[in-house]
Amino acid sequence: MRLSARLLAASALALSLVVAPAAAQDARTIREAEQLRDRALQDNVAYELVSELTTRFGPRLGGSASEQASARWGADTFRQMGFDNVSIEEFPLALWTRGEARAEILSPFPQPLEVVALGGSHATPPEGVEGEAAIFETYQQLLDQPEGALSGKIAVVLQDTVQAQDGRGYGATSPIRGNGPTEAAKRGAVGYVLRSLGTHDHRFAHTGATRVGEGTVPSFAMSPPDADQLRRMIRLSDQPVRMRLFSSAGFTADSHSQNVIGEVRGSGAADEVIVIGGHLDSWDLGTGAIDDGAGVAITAAALKLIEDMPRKPRRTIRVVWWGSEEVSQPPPSQGLAGARFYAASRAGEMATHVAISESDFGAGPIYSLTLPAGAADTDFRRAAQAVLTPLGVLFDGSPATGGGPDTGPTVAAGVPAFRLNQDGTDYFDTHHTADDVLDRIDPENLDQNVAAWASFLWLLANSDVDFRALRPASSAN
Amino acid sequence: MRLSARLLAASALALSLVVAPAAAQDARTIREAEQLRDRALQDNVAYELVSELTTRFGPRLGGSASEQASARWGADTFRQMGFDNVSIEEFPLALWTRGEARAEILSPFPQPLEVVALGGSHATPPEGVEGEAAIFETYQQLLDQPEGALSGKIAVVLQDTVQAQDGRGYGATSPIRGNGPTEAAKRGAVGYVLRSLGTHDHRFAHTGATRVGEGTVPSFAMSPPDADQLRRMIRLSDQPVRMRLFSSAGFTADSHSQNVIGEVRGSGAADEVIVIGGHLDSWDLGTGAIDDGAGVAITAAALKLIEDMPRKPRRTIRVVWWGSEEVSQPPPSQGLAGARFYAASRAGEMATHVAISESDFGAGPIYSLTLPAGAADTDFRRAAQAVLTPLGVLFDGSPATGGGPDTGPTVAAGVPAFRLNQDGTDYFDTHHTADDVLDRIDPENLDQNVAAWASFLWLLANSDVDFRALRPASSAN
């Protein structure tokens, strides 16, 4: 997509639209936000960052040496960019290792399947597990099975993931991956295979976290074409399908992960902190370009543009590259290890956090802005909308229900969230596959993201808008 | 692509074009050819065949139990279709087994690469081979190295394959796969990695045959994004790139492969034989849908339509599903095992073969016809062109230089070849990858292929055109 020319042309038009409705915001701030926006469209810092990150470190599984090395590089990069208070904060983490995964149909039509182990899943016995497949078109059909109904069987769920711009298709099917193995185990299954939570028909299997611990079974995702193949087998033969599964996955070592933090300190209201970022870890199959190299690059590049402004913003803007977002941890711990550590270790500072948001939905263009409840009828919203409209970003009147996965623990502590929503129509074609590599990123889309983040942040950091005070009594955010 | 409606509308128009120029051909035959063509567009036999073949047997590596089982199914299918003289002819074959393949960058940026072993390649020692990478942007740069220049190194060729409708991009780069390992070994290399001969930027590595025997090295193809990753590494670092390769591939057993043969016997000139077909074996990564499930299905479905005609064709049409086209064999044997066996065991019958052609270029639509040299100025050519034009097929005046890989040994014995050329623009996106599965086939394109084959074959089988007699003295075909 060739956005830049169109956007720059549109931005000239937009200048005339901005002044009147946003007059209550500082006019100079608005002009500066527009300059940041237009400069970002000519910039390529984000693409250079994600290119270097993915090339130097490849896959960055939470707790791996590669994730740790990428964090050291990240801190160096923040310092070179001139950010303040650069630090790496470490936390303990169990290292999960994928090992080998294989699945094959034994009958009626012997052949291998293309599978990956789910993240956090444990190993089969060395000889694998073998059994008749109990095949369900929908996850609900598995849940409808009584206890013991899957005894000795391998549970297979063929349910498709619906493609949707905002990712709600993935929202609907993610319990099939997260809880399916546990639900299958409850009913006596010895293994679990789902159709990958992917919206394509190519031979990539999608990994992703599943619930960790006792009471679950070795679990796998097969590529979408393999799920279609199973459907055809059932139509061609009345014989039961028998399968064999093998995995050597498991938690293999005590390790650590870390958050990388940098700031542009505010001038005037430095104790009011806006937190942005992405997660530095990735799954181990690809190089984590769209998940979430793009997000860490977009947010750091936006902050760099702000750092380069002739004056400081009023509020402090903090970028966090969270560690270990992806791999769940053995109980009592859960997922989002870095994000939980961030919020827990700052329990006393939450009141200083005026807003939080993450970029963690790929590398597609931003198409809408959501703000905390109560913020729609403000001069701040009107200024933001005027500055973002030329980028093809609309204001979505529904309140932000969160700011991205890693904002969850902080939002739970009462911090308001906003969101610059990316078009994720194609995101689940690639998400969590070996194909998540730099080739999937369109540099011009990345520039549009940086433009939206930089200009929006400039407005917010120079505003005195108080999202907490605007909140209706009934709203959680 | 929704071809059928357009094609059927166009065919009504074409009726008026046909009669005059092709009057010297039998008008009834031409009308019947048109009926066959239009019937094929309403048919779905080819798609059902390739669906059943790929679902029942999955990958069909030459000499494997799966290829052998698919041949038995093929013969049964031919009998059910009513074909004459159905037979399976076996020949001995060494079974190559892929085993495991791994490649990793050790420095400067440690990470795994997505690779597959080349077909026919042998194993590394159990500990793998490790060395500095000698990286070449073009294959010619490797060939320009003197003897010993690659001593102890791993030779890497990054050359890209150009996308082209007729596959000439692949023609240009296929020596990099076939001969590269031998050329690297001559210069002292201990391993060989090429950029996959693929025209896409996804994380699929393409296998394919390489030269077998002494004087070569363990050899691998990496996915195109991995080759791009290596390019970026070289730009980011002055350090030498060190790699480790592991493969357990090799020839593991004496086995056999087979050709499956069926005919519609002619009435009047039954001893004049037209040979068509595809190859039943596939690589072991995908299920061989486009290479060459499509070709075996298209040619059998076309012959079935002819079998169902109220009258027999004048000449005999023979369909051959060749065995073991893909995997080269240890010396003194070479590739195309089934095709060589077919021609060698019929050395005395070549004079009865009036023409040969294969469908082995995927599942894209046919866009042109090439005939043997000297056939352009014939009533036969004019009739064929009139019948094929409504399908979007043009007559390519250049003489056919062959009829497809498996026709090679028969053409070398003097049999004239023709070709219904498929649009292969996307063929090398998928060719020889794990992604070669049924999902890659558009049923309507398959129907168009069957329509072209059935109508063309009907004309040729009811014609007395003698391609040998038309040949200019200077032409090999």
Side-chain angles (χ1 to χ4, degrees):
Chain A
M1 210 191 299
R2 302 201 62 79
L3 276 173
S4 299
R6 179 165 67 78
L7 291 171
L8 285 171
S11 73
L13 170 71
L15 276 173
S16 61
L17 301 175
V18 170
V19 181
Q25 283 271 134
D26 169 23
R28 184 177 68 145
T29 296
I30 292 172
R31 275 200 310 279
E32 287 163 343
E34 289 164 347
Q35 287 160 6
L36 273 166
R37 177 194 67 198
D38 298 344
R39 202 171 299 145
L41 296 177
Q42 307 284 24
D43 198 45
N44 57 357
V45 171
Y47 189 77
E48 283 171 8
L49 275 175
V50 66
S51 174
E52 187 167 344
L53 169 68
T54 54
T55 301
R56 282 188 184 273
F57 305 104
R60 303 174 301 282
L61 193 67
S64 67
S66 174
E67 192 210 21
Q68 293 163 1
S70 71
R72 291 190 294 273
W73 168 86
D76 289 343
T77 301
F78 283 2
R79 284 186 201 100
Q80 282 162 26
M81 285 177 157
F83 295 171
D84 307 309
N85 300 329
V86 174
S87 68
I88 294 178
E89 53 180 34
E90 287 186 10
F91 48 89
L93 194 85
L95 179 67
W96 181 80
T97 307
R98 176 173 303 284
E100 301 286 322
R102 291 189 293 275
E104 54 183 322
I105 303 292
L106 301 173
S107 65
F109 306 130
Q111 58 193 274
L113 297 178
E114 184 76 23
V115 298
V116 294
L118 297 186
S121 175
H122 63 265
T124 63
E127 70 277 15
V129 296
E130 194 182 311
E132 186 179 326
I135 302 178
F136 303 103
E137 267 295 328
T138 68
Y139 181 51
Q140 186 59 48
Q141 289 167 358
L142 184 158
L143 296 179
D144 290 344
Q145 299 298 307
E147 233 173 84
L150 306 181
S151 184
K153 295 188 175 174
I154 292 169
V156 178
V157 179
L158 299 180
Q159 187 171 337
D160 210 347
T161 295
V162 173
Q163 193 164 45
Q165 187 179 29
D166 63 358
R168 69 179 63 194
Y170 178 74
T173 49
S174 57
I176 306 176
R177 192 188 70 214
N179 303 331
T182 313
E183 296 295 339
K186 268 190 209 168
R187 290 159 178 82
V190 295
Y192 183 80
V193 185
L194 79 154
R195 181 191 181 103
S196 286
L197 307 187
T199 48
H200 61 97
D201 65 357
H202 290 278
R203 205 95 182 280
F204 291 115
H206 299 234
T207 192
T210 191
R211 199 188 292 177
V212 174
E214 299 302 310
T216 182
V217 288
S219 47
F220 303 79
M222 63 187 150
S223 88
D226 290 78
D228 294 339
Q229 180 85 329
L230 266 178
R231 279 202 182 114
R232 284 189 295 269
M233 285 188 192
I234 299 165
R235 283 203 296 269
L236 268 178
S237 171
D238 294 333
Q239 281 182 57
V241 173
R242 287 191 65 80
M243 301 176 71
R244 185 187 295 130
L245 304 174
F246 171 82
S247 164
S248 55
F251 289 91
T252 52
D254 291 331
S255 186
H256 71 268
S257 179
Q258 58 283 308
N259 299 322
V260 185
I261 301 178
E263 295 179 345
V264 170
R265 287 292 288 172
S267 171
D271 291 344
E272 298 180 20
V273 180
I274 300 160
V275 178
I276 60 167
H279 64 85
L280 193 51
D281 69 308
S282 75
W283 283 108
D284 52 335
L285 299 173
T287 63
I290 65 161
D291 186 13
D292 181 29
V296 303
I298 288 163
T299 49
L303 194 57
K304 171 73 169 98
L305 284 168
I306 288 173
E307 165 68 23
D308 290 345
M309 289 292 278
R311 68 171 177 111
K312 291 282 174 197
R314 199 177 143 266
R315 290 162 161 169
T316 291
I317 308 173
R318 177 180 296 163
V319 61
V320 185
W321 286 357
W322 283 283
S324 194
E325 188 262 356
E326 298 286 10
V327 190
S328 287
Q329 290 289 296
S333 177
Q334 297 297 323
L336 303 172
R340 287 185 306 107
F341 184 81
Y342 178 88
S345 60
R346 286 171 183 77
E349 303 169 29
M350 288 291 117
T352 67
H353 284 51
V354 299
I356 187 167
S357 187
E358 183 179 26
S359 174
D360 182 21
F361 202 57
I366 293 169
Y367 73 101
S368 79
L369 166 70
T370 41
L371 291 177
D377 188 24
T378 59
D379 286 337
F380 170 75
R381 191 274 297 168
R382 284 183 279 273
Q385 193 173 349
V387 172
L388 295 177
T389 294
L391 292 170
V393 179
L394 60 85
F395 175 67
D396 180 342
S398 56
T401 55
D406 288 296
T407 71
T410 300
V411 169
V415 175
F418 66 90
R419 212 153 179 168
L420 288 157
N421 298 292
Q422 290 171 291
D423 188 329
T425 307
D426 300 333
Y427 185 50
F428 295 100
D429 288 358
T430 303
H431 179 253
H432 294 185
T433 70
D435 202 34
D436 179 1
V437 291
L438 188 64
D439 308 64
R440 299 288 75 71
I441 295 183
D442 177 337
E444 298 206 22
N445 283 343
L446 222 54
D447 291 346
Q448 188 258 11
N449 274 262
V450 177
W453 277 91
S455 56
F456 179 86
L457 286 170
W458 188 254
L459 292 177
L460 184 58
N462 287 291
S463 162
D464 58 4
V465 66
D466 180 353
F467 291 135
R468 279 185 181 84
L470 293 168
R471 233 176 225 165
S474 62
S475 171
N477 184 34
Chain B
M1 211 191 300
R2 300 203 63 80
L3 275 172
S4 299
R6 178 165 67 78
L7 291 171
L8 285 172
S11 73
L13 169 70
L15 274 172
S16 60
L17 302 175
V18 170
V19 182
Q25 284 271 134
D26 170 22
R28 183 177 69 146
T29 297
I30 292 172
R31 275 199 309 279
E32 289 164 339
E34 290 165 344
Q35 287 159 5
L36 273 168
R37 177 194 66 197
D38 298 345
R39 203 170 299 146
L41 296 177
Q42 307 283 24
D43 198 46
N44 56 357
V45 171
Y47 190 77
E48 283 170 9
L49 275 175
V50 66
S51 174
E52 187 167 344
L53 169 67
T54 54
T55 302
R56 281 187 185 274
F57 305 104
R60 303 174 301 283
L61 193 67
S64 68
S66 174
E67 192 210 22
Q68 293 163 0
S70 72
R72 292 191 293 273
W73 169 85
D76 289 344
T77 301
F78 283 1
R79 285 186 201 100
Q80 283 161 27
M81 285 177 157
F83 294 171
D84 307 309
N85 300 329
V86 175
S87 66
I88 294 179
E89 54 181 32
E90 287 185 11
F91 48 89
L93 195 84
L95 179 67
W96 181 80
T97 306
R98 177 174 301 284
E100 302 286 323
R102 290 189 293 275
E104 55 182 322
I105 303 292
L106 301 173
S107 64
F109 305 131
Q111 57 193 274
L113 297 178
E114 184 75 23
V115 297
V116 294
L118 296 186
S121 175
H122 64 267
T124 62
E127 70 278 14
V129 296
E130 194 182 311
E132 186 180 326
I135 302 178
F136 302 103
E137 267 296 327
T138 69
Y139 182 51
Q140 186 58 48
Q141 289 167 359
L142 184 156
L143 296 179
D144 289 345
Q145 300 297 307
E147 231 174 87
L150 306 181
S151 184
K153 294 187 176 177
I154 292 169
V156 179
V157 179
L158 299 181
Q159 187 171 340
D160 210 347
T161 295
V162 174
Q163 193 164 46
Q165 187 180 29
D166 64 359
R168 69 179 64 194
Y170 178 74
T173 49
S174 57
I176 306 177
R177 193 187 70 213
N179 303 332
T182 313
E183 296 295 339
K186 268 190 209 168
R187 290 159 178 81
V190 296
Y192 183 80
V193 185
L194 78 155
R195 182 191 181 105
S196 286
L197 307 187
T199 48
H200 60 98
D201 64 357
H202 290 278
R203 205 95 183 279
F204 291 114
H206 299 234
T207 190
T210 190
R211 199 189 291 176
V212 174
E214 300 301 312
T216 181
V217 288
S219 47
F220 303 79
M222 62 186 150
S223 88
D226 290 78
D228 293 340
Q229 181 84 330
L230 266 179
R231 277 200 184 116
R232 284 188 295 269
M233 285 187 192
I234 299 165
R235 282 203 297 267
L236 269 177
S237 170
D238 294 333
Q239 282 181 57
V241 172
R242 288 191 65 81
M243 301 177 70
R244 185 187 294 131
L245 304 174
F246 171 82
S247 163
S248 55
F251 289 92
T252 52
D254 291 331
S255 186
H256 70 269
S257 179
Q258 57 284 308
N259 298 323
V260 186
I261 301 178
E263 294 178 348
V264 170
R265 287 292 289 173
S267 171
D271 291 344
E272 299 180 18
V273 181
I274 301 160
V275 178
I276 60 167
H279 64 85
L280 193 52
D281 70 308
S282 76
W283 282 108
D284 52 336
L285 298 173
T287 63
I290 67 162
D291 186 13
D292 182 29
V296 304
I298 288 163
T299 49
L303 194 57
K304 172 72 169 96
L305 284 168
I306 288 172
E307 165 68 24
D308 291 345
M309 289 292 279
R311 68 170 176 111
K312 292 281 174 198
R314 198 178 143 264
R315 290 163 162 169
T316 293
I317 307 174
R318 177 180 297 163
V319 62
V320 185
W321 286 356
W322 283 283
S324 195
E325 189 262 358
E326 298 286 10
V327 190
S328 288
Q329 290 289 295
S333 176
Q334 297 296 324
L336 302 173
R340 286 186 305 105
F341 184 83
Y342 178 88
S345 59
R346 285 170 183 78
E349 303 168 29
M350 288 292 117
T352 66
H353 284 51
V354 298
I356 187 167
S357 188
E358 183 179 27
S359 174
D360 181 21
F361 202 57
I366 293 169
Y367 73 101
S368 79
L369 166 71
T370 41
L371 291 177
D377 188 25
T378 59
D379 286 337
F380 171 75
R381 191 274 298 168
R382 284 183 279 271
Q385 191 172 353
V387 172
L388 295 178
T389 293
L391 292 170
V393 179
L394 61 84
F395 175 67
D396 180 341
S398 56
T401 54
D406 288 297
T407 71
T410 301
V411 169
V415 175
F418 67 91
R419 211 153 180 169
L420 289 158
N421 299 291
Q422 291 172 290
D423 188 328
T425 307
D426 300 333
Y427 185 49
F428 296 100
D429 288 358
T430 303
H431 179 252
H432 294 186
T433 70
D435 202 34
D436 179 2
V437 291
L438 188 64
D439 309 64
R440 298 288 76 70
I441 296 184
D442 176 338
E444 296 206 23
N445 284 342
L446 222 55
D447 291 346
Q448 188 258 14
N449 275 263
V450 177
W453 278 91
S455 56
F456 179 86
L457 286 170
W458 188 253
L459 292 176
L460 185 58
N462 287 291
S463 163
D464 59 4
V465 66
D466 180 352
F467 291 135
R468 279 186 182 81
L470 292 168
R471 234 176 225 166
S474 62
S475 171
N477 183 34

